[in-house]
Amino acid sequence: MPICTLIAADNLESGNFSEAEDRLAEAGCIPTAFDWLAEGKAADISFEGAVSDARAALAALEDRFDIIVQEDGSRRKMLLVSDMDSTMITVECIDELADYAGIKPEIAAITERAMAGELDFAEALKARVALLAGLDENVIAQCLGERVQPMPGAEILVRTMTGWGAHAVLVSGGFTSFTGPVAKMLGFHEVHANLLEIKNGRLTGALADDIVDASAKRAVLHAAAQARGLSLGSALAVGDGANDLPMIAAAVSGGGLGVGYHPRPQLAQAANFSVRHNDLTALLFAQGVKPQEWAH
């Protein structure tokens, strides 16, 4: 039986969820059960009807709720594959490195266009890295200490999922200098990212290996699932930008969760769940996990 999960932007009374039930009924999706995941915050509504009809009926409520509609099958996923910058951490690391170099506006503008899908990701990355040529490598550690903070809910999400045996993969178009420490901080098992070339203590302005781009992220998702004998229906993939789109679309087409976290419009269209109002714990609510089961 299909189920929709509504996660409120603010704490609400049960009556505020009744509009969702009314809209479902009007669309021929008859509600059969209501269950609080967190009273006043998140709830499941089971219904009889088509998932596509329910999604259309509830779209008008997305200004107040994060909403996912799915079949109530294996909701708890056994594979988490996530982007890093602006998803698991609050910043874009390359923009912060640029700030130390005194060129943040120039690089941040390119980053935003790349994340919106307006520029080829690989070419945009090479152009931005080239602008960092000559930067002291010690700035990386300084940036990690001063600027890199976990996204709210990130550690709870990762450690709760790994706690039930899920495999967690961090895959980033950013740099290994950051993914390693972030993975250790949050509890990821595996990382994939780009390697900055450093010589004589300074960035050369080049990358030392193949670029982790959109197609590489999708390949990581497939490889991680295959290595563990999992279907993509057991996967949750999450990201925020256009370079996450193939990975997200693959998770969706495979029957899993493809999540846009405060996504750019292009990514939101490919995702089957977008988080716009809440932190990353929304991904636990989407899997039917109540706060008393979360790892803290």
Side-chain angles (χ1 to χ4, degrees), residues 240-275:
D240 71 299
N243 66 320
D244 299 307
L245 198 156
M247 175 179 76
I248 299 300
V252 172
S253 64
L257 285 182
V259 183
Y261 186 71
H262 298 276
R264 272 71 171 187
Q266 193 176 52
L267 182 65
Q269 291 179 2
N272 54 11
F273 176 38
S274 288
V275 180

Side-chain angles (χ1 to χ4, degrees), residues 116-133:
E118 298 173 9
L119 300 173
D120 177 80
F121 178 82
E123 293 306 313
L125 178 62
K126 288 189 286 187
R128 286 175 290 163
V129 171
L131 293 172
L132 296 176

Side-chain angles (χ1 to χ4, degrees), residues 8-24:
D10 300 298
N11 284 341
L12 299 174
E13 299 298 326
S14 59
N16 295 107
F17 287 90
S18 62
E19 182 181 354
E21 293 180 302
D22 291 343
R23 287 180 175 272
L24 287 170

Side-chain angles (χ1 to χ4, degrees), residues 3-4 21 33-38 42-46 75 288 290:
I3 192 165
C4 68
E21 293 180 302
F34 179 95
D35 179 43
W36 282 116
L37 295 172
D44 282 341
I45 302 174
S46 299
R75 292 175 71 185
K290 298 180 178 182

Side-chain angles (χ1 to χ4, degrees), residues 206-285:
L207 295 168
D209 210 338
D210 293 338
I211 290 177
V212 176
D213 58 7
S215 61
K217 287 188 172 189
R218 178 178 57 200
V220 165
L221 171 67
H222 282 285
Q226 184 175 17
R228 281 150 196 87
L230 298 171
S231 72
L232 291 186
S234 296
L236 188 164
V238 57
D240 71 299
N243 66 320
D244 299 307
L245 198 156
M247 175 179 76
I248 299 300
V252 172
S253 64
L257 285 182
V259 183
Y261 186 71
H262 298 276
R264 272 71 171 187
Q266 193 176 52
L267 182 65
Q269 291 179 2
N272 54 11
F273 176 38
S274 288
V275 180
R276 296 183 176 90
H277 304 294
N278 294 276
D279 65 23
L280 285 165
T281 58
L283 277 63
L284 292 173
F285 285 132

